[in-house]
């Protein structure tokens, strides 16, 4: 299929839905994965908990290792084939996990899902191909909104489906991914013309080689550091929120679920509807800084609030923090050529993979030392640490960006 400089609306909708289904498929299995694992380990909760941790680490490790490769392949062969192969692969993988007869098969399936779910890399590169530089932050924000929406709907749907059978969510996730891939065969044009494609190199298509890209343009390495701190701070929500609010405020599953849904809704609104408008007014640089200030304040409120109502007041600030990712992504995208967009997006996903391996250990260790009768750290320490990380990112942003770069 020939390249199209102005892809049809259906093609962009496909890219959005692909990102949404990537996250939705992950979210659907979250409520049922522990129960499914318990069935393989004789109902042993301790072993199941260890396996859940192993599965999370495996997924992050696959994202770290393979995202640069997938991005580099899309720079060489185009976005369309890589996106479609990833979608078909993800669908087939979830069907494999639905049928898995042993724990080993389930582990293999989780490894494959970490690889194929890296289509988020190519989706971001596709957006960079077809969106003018001054509008990329808003477009990347829409992908972020898909991410948030998937984590709102996915766990809820997974819980309902899992009540029927712990394997049913895997069937549904696989079916949705395969249907979307079939749809993409008809509506997705290529976004990267042959004359703008790069040369594939194994030296660069690996995490260490891909990180060398960050040294290739002024300020790119520093922006990569900001993104790393941003992703690392995000791990505090994934790994400590439930235990923290249960210990400090006595919240049960219903309160936790509603609060996390509220965080997801606010974040989706910010990334899907606000980022583009704010960047148009302030520029990507200042929008990123505003987001870092808001995130620092929001996590400080989370950590300092002795009552649950105080934490709820911090949710809008944490939602505004979501402007950082699309703004930083836009600034970085403007610093690389069309032949390197896929590699850049793969590098960013790889950075997230690193934080996905480091963050859980860091924040759960701090949490363990801040709860219970023998706590050595004050309540809220994980969130206060996240606030410190974002303060460091804010300081770094002053060093590596310049005022005239506000419109990237």
């Amino acid at each position: 299929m020939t390249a199209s400089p102005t892809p049809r609306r259906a093609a962009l909708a496909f890219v959005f839905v692909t990102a949404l289904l990537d996250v939705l498929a992950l979210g659907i299995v979250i409520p049922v994965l522990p129960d499914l694992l318990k069935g393989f380990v004789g109902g042993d909760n301790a072993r199941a908990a260890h396996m859940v941790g192993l599965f999370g680490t495996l997924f992050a490790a696959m994202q770290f290792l393979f995202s640069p490769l997938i991005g580099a392949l899309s720079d060489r062969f185009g976005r369309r084939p890589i996106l479609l192969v990833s979608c078909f692969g993800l669908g087939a993988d979830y069907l494999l996990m639905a049928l898995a007869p042993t724990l080993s098969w389930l582990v293999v399936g989780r490894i494959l899902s970490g690889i194929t779910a890296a289509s988020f890399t190519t989706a971001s590169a596709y957006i960079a191909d077809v969106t003018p530089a001054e509008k990329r932050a808003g477009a990347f924000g829409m992908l972020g909104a898909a991410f948030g929406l998937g984590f709102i709907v996915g766990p809820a749907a997974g819980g309902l489906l899992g009540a029927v059978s712990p394997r049913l969510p895997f069937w549904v996730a696989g079916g949705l991914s395969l249907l979307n891939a079939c749809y993409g065969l008809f509506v997705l044009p290529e976004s990267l013309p042959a004359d703008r494609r790069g040369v594939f190199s194994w030296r660069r298509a690996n995490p260490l080689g891909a990180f060398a890209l960050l040294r290739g343009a002024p300020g790119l390495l520093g922006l990569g550091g900001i993104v790393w701190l941003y992703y690392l701070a995000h791990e505090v929500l994934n790994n400590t929120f439930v235990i923290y609010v249960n210990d400090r405020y006595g919240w049960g599953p219903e309160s936790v679920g509603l609060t996390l849904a509220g965080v997801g809704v606010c974040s989706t609104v910010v990334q899907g509807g606000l980022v583009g408008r704010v960047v148009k007014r302030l520029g990507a640089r200042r929008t990123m800084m505003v987001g870092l200030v808001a995130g620092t304040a929001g996590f400080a409120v989370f950590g300092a609030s002795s009552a649950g109502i105080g934490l709820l007041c911090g949710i809008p600030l944490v939602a505004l923090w979501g402007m950082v990712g699309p703004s930083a992504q836009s600034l970085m995208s403007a610093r690389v050529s069309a032949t390197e967009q896929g590699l850049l997006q793969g590098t960013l996903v790889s950075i997230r993979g690193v934080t996905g391996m480091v963050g859980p250990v860091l924040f759960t260790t701090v949490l363990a030392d801040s709860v219970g009768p023998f706590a050595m750290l004050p309540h809220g320490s994980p969130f206060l640490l996240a606030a410190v990380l974002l303060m460091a990112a804010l300081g770094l942003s002053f060093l590596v960006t310049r005022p005239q770069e506000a419109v990237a």
Side-chain angles (χ1 to χ4, degrees):
M1 183 173 287
T2 58
S4 172
T6 55
R8 297 186 304 271
R9 188 180 299 271
L12 294 179
F14 169 81
V15 174
F16 176 84
V17 171
T18 296
L20 174 62
L21 286 178
D22 273 4
V23 184
L24 185 65
L26 296 176
I28 279 178
V29 304
I30 287 174
V32 296
L33 185 59
D35 286 339
L36 187 60
L37 288 170
K38 283 169 64 175
F40 284 114
V41 295
D44 188 327
N45 283 323
R47 286 188 64 196
H50 283 300
M51 290 305 301
V52 169
L54 173 63
F55 273 43
T57 301
L58 282 174
F59 187 89
M62 294 305 103
Q63 295 271 289
F64 168 69
L65 291 172
F66 285 92
S67 291
L69 173 61
I70 290 174
L73 287 172
S74 77
D75 284 337
R76 173 63 184 89
F77 299 105
R79 317 300 184 202
R80 172 183 159 84
I82 303 303
L83 268 174
L84 293 177
V85 168
S86 294
C87 290
F88 277 114
L90 185 64
D93 174 58
Y94 276 110
L95 297 185
L96 169 66
M97 288 195 284
L99 293 167
T102 66
L103 183 59
S104 298
W105 276 102
L106 203 61
V107 171
V108 170
R110 197 58 175 169
I111 291 173
L112 293 175
S113 68
I115 298 171
T116 52
S119 61
F120 212 89
T121 295
T122 317
S124 296
Y126 194 104
I127 292 296
D129 291 340
V130 303
T131 309
E134 67 275 9
K135 295 183 178 180
R136 282 179 191 164
F140 289 139
M142 290 300 297
L143 287 183
F147 197 91
L149 186 60
F151 268 114
I152 295 170
V153 177
L160 294 173
L161 295 170
V164 179
S165 165
R167 292 181 183 262
L168 182 57
F170 292 91
W171 286 107
V172 172
L176 288 174
S177 295
L178 290 176
L179 283 174
N180 185 54
C182 292
Y183 177 62
L185 285 173
F186 296 99
V187 304
L188 185 69
E190 180 54 64
S191 65
L192 187 64
D195 60 356
R196 294 171 58 195
R197 295 180 187 174
V199 177
F200 180 81
S201 166
W202 283 106
R203 182 177 59 83
R204 304 184 71 193
N206 64 81
L208 296 180
F211 287 144
L213 174 68
L214 299 180
R215 300 196 300 269
L220 202 57
L221 184 61
L223 284 166
I226 293 170
V227 170
W228 189 83
L229 291 167
Y230 167 78
Y231 284 149
L232 183 60
H234 195 278
E235 291 296 320
V236 73
L237 292 172
N238 299 339
N239 295 284
T240 69
F241 187 86
V242 175
I243 297 175
Y244 172 72
V245 296
N246 177 263
D247 178 78
R248 192 165 191 183
Y249 309 129
W251 287 2
E254 183 177 357
S255 298
V256 171
L258 290 173
T259 302
L260 288 176
V263 172
V265 169
C266 291
S267 297
T268 300
V269 169
V270 168
Q271 297 205 43
L274 190 62
V275 172
R277 292 180 173 87
V278 176
V279 169
K280 186 176 180 180
R281 190 174 187 86
L282 300 180
R285 174 183 182 268
R286 282 182 286 182
T287 301
M288 179 178 69
M289 291 180 173
V290 169
L292 288 170
V293 170
T296 300
F299 281 130
V301 170
F302 276 18
S305 297
S306 57
I309 188 64
L311 181 140
L312 295 177
C313 292
I315 289 177
L317 292 169
V318 171
L320 289 172
W321 169 57
M323 296 190 298
V324 174
S327 301
Q329 201 172 358
S330 175
L331 287 167
M332 297 179 78
S333 176
R335 285 167 165 77
V336 301
S337 67
T339 63
E340 297 175 316
Q341 291 294 336
L343 183 59
L344 171 65
Q345 303 305 330
T347 303
L348 294 178
V349 177
S350 194
I351 289 173
R352 185 157 202 165
V354 174
T355 62
M357 291 184 281
V358 173
V361 176
L362 173 65
F363 286 111
T364 55
T365 300
V366 174
L367 177 68
D369 288 333
S370 64
V371 298
F374 303 106
M376 295 181 289
L377 298 173
H379 265 309
S381 289
F383 294 101
L384 297 176
L385 173 59
V388 170
L389 292 173
L390 295 184
M391 285 180 64
L394 180 61
L396 186 58
S397 70
F398 279 103
L399 295 175
V400 302
T401 62
R402 298 190 299 274
Q404 61 266 34
E405 294 169 338
V407 197

